[in-house]
Amino acid sequence: MFKKFKIPDATIGRLTAYSRFLKEAEEKGISTVSSQNIAEATGVTPAQVRKDLAYFGEFGTRGVGYNPKELYNYIMKILGLDKKWNVAIFGAGNLGTALSQYRGFLERGFEIVCMFDTDPEKVGKKLNAIDIFHLDELKEKAKELNIELAIVAVPAQAAQEVVNMIVEAGIRGIINFAPVNIFVPDNIVLRRVDLASQLEYLTYYLGENR
Amino acid sequence: MFKKFKIPDATIGRLTAYSRFLKEAEEKGISTVSSQNIAEATGVTPAQVRKDLAYFGEFGTRGVGYNPKELYNYIMKILGLDKKWNVAIFGAGNLGTALSQYRGFLERGFEIVCMFDTDPEKVGKKLNAIDIFHLDELKEKAKELNIELAIVAVPAQAAQEVVNMIVEAGIRGIINFAPVNIFVPDNIVLRRVDLASQLEYLTYYLGENR
DNA sequence: TAGATTGTTAATCGATTAACAATC
DNA sequence: TAGATTGTTAATCGATTAACAATC
């Protein structure tokens, strides 16, 4: 449906930001926005906005601008968010628990359908109405609940093994929160989020010893 | 102490990954590692590793490689992690709570010294030995506890205002977890982490409608 | 010395920005 | 028509990679 050359990774991230602004604009009843408006709200240049959109089609009207609702819908479609996605969280520790309750996911169409752990204290219980299953049940539950995405919040030592099982179970998209580099087959989409590393960007710039 | 031209943002992120590998290598008693070893473990090219390090100095021995412990210490110094940092978390909701208990921060020298909220139900209580103060007490507590970094985990609508107060209180490094673009003065270091956006990278690549 | 691996330069690649024709 | 803003091309900028001299 959309062209797909090599599109910068950063473009995808910016589309998310644009879509949030467009939704706000629509809710405020604004009927037209310019690339300049979008750029100011999201901290990029107008040229960047137009270039990002140009990868996927022509969504505006020359001399006029963009219709917020229309462009929002287009971007959601580009991002694959015109459907709901079923997500499982691996690891029912602090981070997994927090992510399971994070409202931001639901707002964008992500539903946490269950969690997995190996701790007998946790397995079989519910966390705010979300079932915690044993990791051994993964294959079965993945089919039953149609799990499409995995969020990995297990300790670093366990991460590669858990990811292997996730891939085995036919889940193709994975976010890794464990501070370790994970390897997956080519057809799997994997992203790593390193929380401590985020703080280290700050300390690098603030650190005085250089 | 170190050269500081324009260093790619991504270099800083990779240094974090290198340092983790080097620590492991040292713990295993490995006496020498090559750029090739580091590259394989962290998923980059050997040239990238050497280039990243070259921004800051010469840390290896030609024909031999790098000493893990030595290079680890250098990188930690580059990242500003040769000291402990005091961190405050803003927002004692699900995400803030999880982050307050995240072990990965402590391991890298970040100490969560307190949290802030405005909910009377939460203010004055402790969360696993971490005090929750009212946002009004920020200025006072920032001095008293020497808060150096802020993690913002408040609702999107409140984020800009909270960040303004953080800046006012003299805190110069901020991580924003709220899904909204925040503006700060030039001398403040700000990073945004958008959790939902991370999942959207996956759905973009997995989405079939393009 | 021969083999290995760094540090660094030059070439390549890719992403951002500026500029402008198209067009509402 | 005049003014505005898109879509797109070309120029610029920056980051990654390849190649190799330096040197252990």
Side-chain angles (χ1 to χ4, degrees):
Chain A
M1 182 168 187
F2 296 106
K3 307 172 211 164
K4 196 180 176 189
F5 309 159
K6 37 178 174 56
I7 287 152
D9 224 48
T11 290
I12 308 304
R14 286 189 296 261
L15 288 178
T16 298
Y18 302 162
S19 72
R20 285 194 214 280
F21 168 72
L22 291 165
K23 195 180 182 193
E24 262 179 51
E26 191 212 329
E27 282 166 3
K28 281 184 195 153
I30 295 168
S31 64
T32 312
V33 298
S34 65
S35 57
Q36 171 84 30
N37 297 150
I38 300 173
E40 267 168 19
T42 58
V44 301
T45 65
Q48 183 72 270
V49 173
R50 297 201 300 279
K51 183 72 175 172
D52 284 337
L53 296 173
Y55 287 119
F56 302 100
E58 306 189 4
F59 307 114
T61 309
R62 286 165 196 235
V64 178
Y66 305 90
N67 176 284
K69 186 177 183 179
E70 239 177 57
L71 185 54
Y72 173 80
N73 287 335
Y74 271 121
I75 293 181
M76 292 302 268
K77 210 165 201 170
I78 292 166
L79 293 175
L81 298 181
D82 51 344
K83 75 182 269 312
K84 296 227 173 279
W85 291 83
N86 293 328
V87 182
I89 294 179
F90 293 78
N94 291 321
L95 185 60
T97 301
L99 294 171
S100 76
Q101 293 165 42
Y102 183 60
R103 293 174 131 264
F105 291 143
L106 203 61
E107 279 165 19
R108 298 289 280 184
F110 298 107
E111 194 183 343
I112 312 296
V113 293
C114 71
M115 300 176 75
F116 291 93
D117 208 300
T118 52
D119 182 348
E121 288 283 310
K122 290 170 180 166
V123 169
K125 301 211 169 112
K126 274 174 188 276
L127 207 68
N128 281 328
I130 299 174
D131 281 313
I132 305 177
F133 299 123
H134 194 282
L135 198 56
D136 292 340
E137 300 172 80
L138 170 54
K139 224 162 191 169
E140 172 194 343
K141 294 295 178 188
K143 276 208 185 98
E144 188 185 321
L145 300 171
N146 185 29
I147 301 171
E148 299 166 294
L149 303 173
I151 294 177
V152 176
V154 303
Q157 323 87 268
Q160 179 70 63
E161 200 188 344
V162 169
V163 167
N164 292 348
M165 292 178 72
I166 290 169
V167 172
E168 271 282 301
I171 297 168
R172 292 167 52 225
I174 304 168
I175 301 270
N176 172 33
F177 278 91
V180 66
N181 202 35
I182 295 287
F183 297 89
V184 293
D186 277 354
N187 60 325
I188 304 296
V189 187
L190 172 82
R191 275 185 78 84
R192 161 129 167 249
V193 181
D194 187 338
L195 294 174
S197 167
Q198 297 299 327
L199 278 177
E200 293 170 19
Y201 278 93
L202 304 188
T203 57
Y204 166 71
Y205 286 110
L206 295 178
E208 288 154 332
N209 37 4
R210 84 183 69 98
Chain B
M1 181 168 187
F2 296 106
K3 307 173 212 164
K4 196 180 176 188
F5 309 159
K6 39 178 170 57
I7 287 152
D9 224 47
T11 290
I12 308 304
R14 286 190 297 261
L15 288 178
T16 298
Y18 302 161
S19 72
R20 285 193 214 282
F21 167 72
L22 291 165
K23 196 181 181 192
E24 262 178 51
E26 191 212 327
E27 281 167 2
K28 282 184 196 153
I30 296 169
S31 64
T32 312
V33 299
S34 65
S35 56
Q36 172 83 29
N37 298 149
I38 300 173
E40 268 168 20
T42 58
V44 302
T45 65
Q48 183 73 269
V49 172
R50 296 201 300 278
K51 184 72 175 171
D52 284 337
L53 296 174
Y55 287 118
F56 302 100
E58 306 189 3
F59 307 114
T61 309
R62 287 166 195 231
V64 179
Y66 304 90
N67 177 283
K69 185 176 182 179
E70 237 177 58
L71 185 54
Y72 172 80
N73 287 335
Y74 271 121
I75 293 180
M76 292 302 270
K77 210 165 200 170
I78 292 167
L79 292 175
L81 299 181
D82 52 342
K83 75 183 268 313
K84 297 226 172 280
W85 291 83
N86 293 328
V87 182
I89 294 179
F90 294 77
N94 291 319
L95 185 60
T97 302
L99 293 172
S100 76
Q101 293 164 42
Y102 183 61
R103 293 175 131 262
F105 290 143
L106 203 60
E107 279 165 19
R108 299 288 280 184
F110 299 107
E111 194 183 344
I112 312 298
V113 294
C114 70
M115 301 175 75
F116 292 93
D117 207 300
T118 53
D119 181 350
E121 288 284 310
K122 290 170 181 167
V123 169
K125 299 206 171 119
K126 273 175 189 275
L127 207 68
N128 281 327
I130 300 173
D131 282 312
I132 305 177
F133 299 123
H134 194 282
L135 198 56
D136 293 341
E137 301 172 79
L138 170 53
K139 222 159 192 170
E140 172 193 342
K141 294 295 177 187
K143 276 209 186 97
E144 188 185 321
L145 300 171
N146 186 29
I147 300 171
E148 298 166 295
L149 304 172
I151 295 177
V152 176
V154 303
Q157 322 87 268
Q160 180 69 63
E161 200 187 344
V162 169
V163 167
N164 292 348
M165 292 176 72
I166 290 168
V167 172
E168 272 281 303
I171 297 168
R172 291 168 52 226
I174 303 168
I175 301 270
N176 172 31
F177 278 91
V180 65
N181 201 35
I182 295 287
F183 297 89
V184 293
D186 277 353
N187 60 325
I188 304 297
V189 187
L190 173 81
R191 277 185 76 83
R192 161 131 166 248
V193 181
D194 187 339
L195 293 175
S197 165
Q198 298 298 327
L199 278 177
E200 293 170 19
Y201 278 93
L202 304 188
T203 58
Y204 166 71
Y205 286 110
L206 295 179
E208 287 154 332
N209 37 5
R210 82 182 70 96

